Amino acid sequence: MADERPPDLWTIDDVAAHLGIKPTSASGALSRMGVRAHSFRPHPTSHRAQALYDPEQVKAANAARPGRGARTDLTRDEETDE
């Protein structure tokens, strides 16, 4: 069966490839970043619901994540106090 999703939306496999993580971890990462599914369609083989994501929203949320070793528990005022 041909892939019938709109070309501008990503499946969880596409998201995982972009983030460099396993597909089983991608949905949790999206949830933590606050990214919700754009729409759903039947999976081509299992016919279960398959989430589709807006790639621009995924890219923006990923870019806004703090970097490795970021001290997110500190506020800007605490960092400048001596």
Side-chain angles (χ1 to χ4, degrees), residues 15-57:
V15 171
H18 176 75
L19 298 177
I21 59 178
K22 294 179 181 180
T24 55
S25 301
S27 60
L30 289 174
S31 178
R32 286 187 295 279
M33 291 189 285
V35 177
R36 299 184 57 112
H38 176 273
S39 59
F40 295 88
R41 66 146 183 175
H43 188 275
T45 56
S46 69
H47 304 291
R48 295 177 63 188
Q50 181 179 38
L52 299 174
Y53 299 92
D54 178 2
E56 296 307 316
Q57 187 179 12

Short mmCIF file of all heavy atoms in Angstrom, two decimals, residues 15-57:
data_model
loop_
_atom_site.label_atom_id
_atom_site.label_comp_id
_atom_site.label_asym_id
_atom_site.label_seq_id
_atom_site.Cartn_x
_atom_site.Cartn_y
_atom_site.Cartn_z
N VAL A 15 10.18 11.83 12.91
CA VAL A 15 10.56 12.65 14.07
C VAL A 15 11.78 12.04 14.76
O VAL A 15 12.73 12.74 15.09
CB VAL A 15 9.38 12.78 15.05
CG1 VAL A 15 9.82 13.44 16.35
CG2 VAL A 15 8.23 13.56 14.42
N ALA A 16 11.75 10.72 14.97
CA ALA A 16 12.85 10.04 15.64
C ALA A 16 14.15 10.19 14.85
O ALA A 16 15.21 10.44 15.44
CB ALA A 16 12.52 8.56 15.83
N ALA A 17 14.06 10.07 13.54
CA ALA A 17 15.26 10.23 12.71
C ALA A 17 15.81 11.65 12.83
O ALA A 17 17.02 11.85 12.92
CB ALA A 17 14.93 9.92 11.25
N HIS A 18 14.95 12.64 12.87
CA HIS A 18 15.39 14.03 12.99
C HIS A 18 16.04 14.29 14.35
O HIS A 18 17.05 14.98 14.44
CB HIS A 18 14.21 14.99 12.79
CG HIS A 18 14.57 16.42 13.00
ND1 HIS A 18 15.30 17.13 12.07
CD2 HIS A 18 14.35 17.27 14.03
CE1 HIS A 18 15.50 18.37 12.53
NE2 HIS A 18 14.93 18.46 13.72
N LEU A 19 15.45 13.73 15.41
CA LEU A 19 15.97 13.94 16.76
C LEU A 19 17.16 13.04 17.08
O LEU A 19 17.86 13.26 18.07
CB LEU A 19 14.86 13.70 17.79
CG LEU A 19 13.65 14.63 17.72
CD1 LEU A 19 12.62 14.22 18.77
CD2 LEU A 19 14.06 16.09 17.91
N GLY A 20 17.38 12.02 16.27
CA GLY A 20 18.49 11.11 16.51
C GLY A 20 18.24 10.15 17.66
O GLY A 20 19.17 9.76 18.37
N ILE A 21 16.97 9.76 17.84
CA ILE A 21 16.60 8.84 18.92
C ILE A 21 15.77 7.70 18.34
O ILE A 21 15.40 7.72 17.17
CB ILE A 21 15.82 9.57 20.04
CG1 ILE A 21 14.55 10.22 19.49
CG2 ILE A 21 16.71 10.60 20.72
CD1 ILE A 21 13.70 10.90 20.54
N LYS A 22 15.46 6.72 19.16
CA LYS A 22 14.65 5.60 18.72
C LYS A 22 13.18 6.02 18.62
O LYS A 22 12.72 6.86 19.41
CB LYS A 22 14.77 4.44 19.70
CG LYS A 22 16.15 3.84 19.76
CD LYS A 22 16.20 2.71 20.76
CE LYS A 22 17.61 2.14 20.82
NZ LYS A 22 17.70 1.04 21.78
N PRO A 23 12.44 5.43 17.70
CA PRO A 23 11.01 5.75 17.59
C PRO A 23 10.23 5.51 18.88
O PRO A 23 9.29 6.24 19.17
CB PRO A 23 10.52 4.84 16.46
CG PRO A 23 11.73 4.58 15.64
CD PRO A 23 12.88 4.55 16.62
N THR A 24 10.64 4.53 19.67
CA THR A 24 9.95 4.26 20.93
C THR A 24 10.17 5.38 21.95
O THR A 24 9.37 5.53 22.87
CB THR A 24 10.39 2.92 21.53
OG1 THR A 24 11.81 2.93 21.67
CG2 THR A 24 9.97 1.76 20.65
N SER A 25 11.23 6.16 21.80
CA SER A 25 11.51 7.28 22.70
C SER A 25 10.96 8.60 22.18
O SER A 25 10.83 9.56 22.94
CB SER A 25 13.02 7.43 22.88
OG SER A 25 13.58 6.26 23.39
N ALA A 26 10.64 8.66 20.91
CA ALA A 26 10.26 9.92 20.27
C ALA A 26 8.95 10.48 20.81
O ALA A 26 8.83 11.69 20.99
CB ALA A 26 10.18 9.76 18.76
N SER A 27 7.97 9.63 21.07
CA SER A 27 6.68 10.16 21.54
C SER A 27 6.83 10.81 22.92
O SER A 27 6.22 11.85 23.19
CB SER A 27 5.61 9.08 21.55
OG SER A 27 5.98 8.03 22.41
N GLY A 28 7.64 10.23 23.78
CA GLY A 28 7.89 10.83 25.09
C GLY A 28 8.63 12.14 24.97
O GLY A 28 8.33 13.11 25.68
N ALA A 29 9.61 12.20 24.06
CA ALA A 29 10.35 13.45 23.85
C ALA A 29 9.42 14.54 23.34
O ALA A 29 9.49 15.69 23.79
CB ALA A 29 11.49 13.22 22.88
N LEU A 30 8.54 14.19 22.41
CA LEU A 30 7.59 15.17 21.89
C LEU A 30 6.66 15.67 22.99
O LEU A 30 6.36 16.86 23.06
CB LEU A 30 6.78 14.57 20.74
CG LEU A 30 7.53 14.34 19.45
CD1 LEU A 30 6.64 13.60 18.46
CD2 LEU A 30 8.00 15.65 18.85
N SER A 31 6.23 14.76 23.84
CA SER A 31 5.35 15.14 24.94
C SER A 31 6.05 16.12 25.88
O SER A 31 5.48 17.14 26.28
CB SER A 31 4.92 13.90 25.71
OG SER A 31 4.11 14.25 26.81
N ARG A 32 7.31 15.84 26.22
CA ARG A 32 8.06 16.74 27.10
C ARG A 32 8.29 18.10 26.46
O ARG A 32 8.36 19.11 27.15
CB ARG A 32 9.40 16.09 27.49
CG ARG A 32 9.25 14.97 28.50
CD ARG A 32 10.60 14.48 28.98
NE ARG A 32 11.39 13.87 27.93
CZ ARG A 32 11.26 12.61 27.49
NH1 ARG A 32 10.33 11.84 28.01
NH2 ARG A 32 12.04 12.14 26.55
N MET A 33 8.42 18.13 25.14
CA MET A 33 8.62 19.40 24.43
C MET A 33 7.30 20.13 24.19
O MET A 33 7.30 21.26 23.73
CB MET A 33 9.33 19.16 23.10
CG MET A 33 10.76 18.73 23.24
SD MET A 33 11.65 18.70 21.67
CE MET A 33 11.00 17.22 20.90
N GLY A 34 6.18 19.48 24.48
CA GLY A 34 4.88 20.11 24.29
C GLY A 34 4.36 20.06 22.87
O GLY A 34 3.47 20.84 22.51
N VAL A 35 4.88 19.15 22.06
CA VAL A 35 4.43 19.02 20.67
C VAL A 35 3.30 18.00 20.62
O VAL A 35 3.44 16.88 21.09
CB VAL A 35 5.59 18.57 19.75
CG1 VAL A 35 5.09 18.36 18.33
CG2 VAL A 35 6.71 19.59 19.79
N ARG A 36 2.18 18.42 20.05
CA ARG A 36 1.03 17.54 19.89
C ARG A 36 0.87 17.15 18.43
O ARG A 36 1.32 17.87 17.55
CB ARG A 36 -0.22 18.23 20.40
CG ARG A 36 -0.11 18.57 21.89
CD ARG A 36 -1.38 19.17 22.41
NE ARG A 36 -2.48 18.26 22.17
CZ ARG A 36 -3.15 17.62 23.13
NH1 ARG A 36 -2.82 17.81 24.37
NH2 ARG A 36 -4.15 16.82 22.84
N ALA A 37 0.22 16.04 18.20
CA ALA A 37 0.00 15.56 16.83
C ALA A 37 -0.85 16.55 16.05
O ALA A 37 -1.80 17.13 16.58
CB ALA A 37 -0.68 14.20 16.85
N HIS A 38 -0.49 16.75 14.81
CA HIS A 38 -1.24 17.63 13.91
C HIS A 38 -2.54 16.95 13.49
O HIS A 38 -3.61 17.54 13.47
CB HIS A 38 -0.39 17.94 12.68
CG HIS A 38 -1.08 18.75 11.64
ND1 HIS A 38 -1.85 18.17 10.66
CD2 HIS A 38 -1.12 20.08 11.44
CE1 HIS A 38 -2.34 19.13 9.89
NE2 HIS A 38 -1.91 20.29 10.34
N SER A 39 -2.44 15.66 13.15
CA SER A 39 -3.60 14.87 12.73
C SER A 39 -3.27 13.39 12.84
O SER A 39 -2.14 13.03 13.20
CB SER A 39 -3.99 15.23 11.29
OG SER A 39 -2.91 14.99 10.41
N PHE A 40 -4.24 12.57 12.54
CA PHE A 40 -4.07 11.12 12.61
C PHE A 40 -4.57 10.51 11.30
O PHE A 40 -5.42 11.06 10.63
CB PHE A 40 -4.86 10.53 13.77
CG PHE A 40 -4.36 10.97 15.11
CD1 PHE A 40 -4.84 12.14 15.70
CD2 PHE A 40 -3.40 10.24 15.79
CE1 PHE A 40 -4.38 12.55 16.93
CE2 PHE A 40 -2.93 10.65 17.02
CZ PHE A 40 -3.42 11.81 17.59
N ARG A 41 -4.01 9.35 10.97
CA ARG A 41 -4.47 8.59 9.82
C ARG A 41 -4.30 7.11 10.14
O ARG A 41 -3.53 6.75 11.04
CB ARG A 41 -3.66 8.95 8.58
CG ARG A 41 -2.21 8.51 8.72
CD ARG A 41 -1.63 8.10 7.44
NE ARG A 41 -0.27 7.64 7.72
CZ ARG A 41 0.49 7.12 6.85
NH1 ARG A 41 0.09 7.01 5.62
NH2 ARG A 41 1.70 6.70 7.15
N PRO A 42 -4.96 6.25 9.41
CA PRO A 42 -4.76 4.82 9.65
C PRO A 42 -3.36 4.40 9.20
O PRO A 42 -2.89 4.81 8.15
CB PRO A 42 -5.82 4.14 8.78
CG PRO A 42 -6.77 5.21 8.40
CD PRO A 42 -6.03 6.51 8.47
N HIS A 43 -2.70 3.59 10.01
CA HIS A 43 -1.39 3.06 9.65
C HIS A 43 -1.55 2.19 8.41
O HIS A 43 -2.53 1.46 8.28
CB HIS A 43 -0.81 2.24 10.81
CG HIS A 43 0.59 1.83 10.60
ND1 HIS A 43 0.92 0.69 9.89
CD2 HIS A 43 1.76 2.39 10.97
CE1 HIS A 43 2.23 0.56 9.86
NE2 HIS A 43 2.77 1.59 10.50
N PRO A 44 -0.60 2.26 7.46
CA PRO A 44 -0.74 1.52 6.21
C PRO A 44 -0.89 0.00 6.36
O PRO A 44 -1.57 -0.63 5.56
CB PRO A 44 0.53 1.84 5.43
CG PRO A 44 1.12 3.02 6.08
CD PRO A 44 0.60 3.08 7.48
N THR A 45 -0.28 -0.59 7.38
CA THR A 45 -0.37 -2.04 7.50
C THR A 45 -1.28 -2.49 8.64
O THR A 45 -2.07 -3.41 8.46
CB THR A 45 1.02 -2.66 7.70
OG1 THR A 45 1.65 -2.06 8.83
CG2 THR A 45 1.89 -2.47 6.47
N SER A 46 -1.21 -1.85 9.78
CA SER A 46 -2.01 -2.30 10.93
C SER A 46 -3.38 -1.61 10.98
O SER A 46 -4.26 -2.08 11.68
CB SER A 46 -1.27 -2.02 12.24
OG SER A 46 -1.19 -0.64 12.49
N HIS A 47 -3.53 -0.50 10.30
CA HIS A 47 -4.77 0.29 10.26
C HIS A 47 -5.11 0.92 11.61
O HIS A 47 -6.22 1.41 11.80
CB HIS A 47 -5.94 -0.53 9.72
CG HIS A 47 -5.66 -1.10 8.37
ND1 HIS A 47 -5.55 -0.31 7.25
CD2 HIS A 47 -5.43 -2.37 7.96
CE1 HIS A 47 -5.29 -1.07 6.20
NE2 HIS A 47 -5.19 -2.33 6.61
N ARG A 48 -4.16 0.89 12.55
CA ARG A 48 -4.36 1.60 13.82
C ARG A 48 -4.06 3.08 13.59
O ARG A 48 -3.43 3.45 12.61
CB ARG A 48 -3.43 1.04 14.89
CG ARG A 48 -3.76 -0.42 15.23
CD ARG A 48 -2.79 -1.00 16.20
NE ARG A 48 -2.88 -0.26 17.46
CZ ARG A 48 -2.05 -0.43 18.46
NH1 ARG A 48 -1.07 -1.28 18.38
NH2 ARG A 48 -2.19 0.28 19.57
N ALA A 49 -4.50 3.92 14.49
CA ALA A 49 -4.27 5.36 14.35
C ALA A 49 -2.78 5.66 14.38
O ALA A 49 -2.04 5.16 15.24
CB ALA A 49 -4.97 6.11 15.46
N GLN A 50 -2.32 6.47 13.44
CA GLN A 50 -0.92 6.88 13.37
C GLN A 50 -0.88 8.40 13.41
O GLN A 50 -1.51 9.07 12.60
CB GLN A 50 -0.28 6.36 12.08
CG GLN A 50 1.18 6.73 11.96
CD GLN A 50 1.79 6.19 10.68
OE1 GLN A 50 1.15 6.18 9.64
NE2 GLN A 50 3.03 5.77 10.76
N ALA A 51 -0.14 8.94 14.37
CA ALA A 51 -0.04 10.39 14.53
C ALA A 51 0.87 10.98 13.45
O ALA A 51 1.88 10.38 13.08
CB ALA A 51 0.50 10.73 15.91
N LEU A 52 0.50 12.16 12.99
CA LEU A 52 1.32 12.92 12.04
C LEU A 52 1.65 14.25 12.70
O LEU A 52 0.80 14.87 13.33
CB LEU A 52 0.56 13.14 10.73
CG LEU A 52 0.18 11.87 9.98
CD1 LEU A 52 -0.68 12.21 8.77
CD2 LEU A 52 1.42 11.11 9.55
N TYR A 53 2.90 14.68 12.54
CA TYR A 53 3.40 15.88 13.21
C TYR A 53 3.85 16.92 12.21
O TYR A 53 4.38 16.59 11.15
CB TYR A 53 4.58 15.52 14.13
CG TYR A 53 4.19 14.55 15.21
CD1 TYR A 53 4.30 13.18 15.02
CD2 TYR A 53 3.66 15.00 16.41
CE1 TYR A 53 3.92 12.28 16.00
CE2 TYR A 53 3.28 14.11 17.41
CZ TYR A 53 3.41 12.76 17.19
OH TYR A 53 3.02 11.88 18.17
N ASP A 54 3.67 18.18 12.58
CA ASP A 54 4.13 19.30 11.77
C ASP A 54 5.65 19.41 11.95
O ASP A 54 6.13 19.64 13.05
CB ASP A 54 3.45 20.58 12.23
CG ASP A 54 3.89 21.81 11.47
OD1 ASP A 54 4.71 21.70 10.54
OD2 ASP A 54 3.39 22.90 11.82
N PRO A 55 6.42 19.24 10.88
CA PRO A 55 7.89 19.25 11.02
C PRO A 55 8.43 20.59 11.54
O PRO A 55 9.41 20.61 12.28
CB PRO A 55 8.42 18.93 9.63
CG PRO A 55 7.27 19.02 8.71
CD PRO A 55 6.02 18.94 9.51
N GLU A 56 7.80 21.68 11.17
CA GLU A 56 8.28 22.99 11.65
C GLU A 56 8.09 23.12 13.15
O GLU A 56 8.95 23.69 13.84
CB GLU A 56 7.58 24.13 10.90
CG GLU A 56 7.87 24.14 9.41
CD GLU A 56 9.36 24.13 9.09
OE1 GLU A 56 10.13 24.88 9.74
OE2 GLU A 56 9.77 23.36 8.20
N GLN A 57 7.00 22.59 13.68
CA GLN A 57 6.76 22.63 15.12
C GLN A 57 7.78 21.75 15.84
O GLN A 57 8.29 22.13 16.89
CB GLN A 57 5.34 22.18 15.42
CG GLN A 57 4.94 22.35 16.86
CD GLN A 57 3.51 21.92 17.14
OE1 GLN A 57 2.87 21.29 16.30
NE2 GLN A 57 3.03 22.23 18.31
#
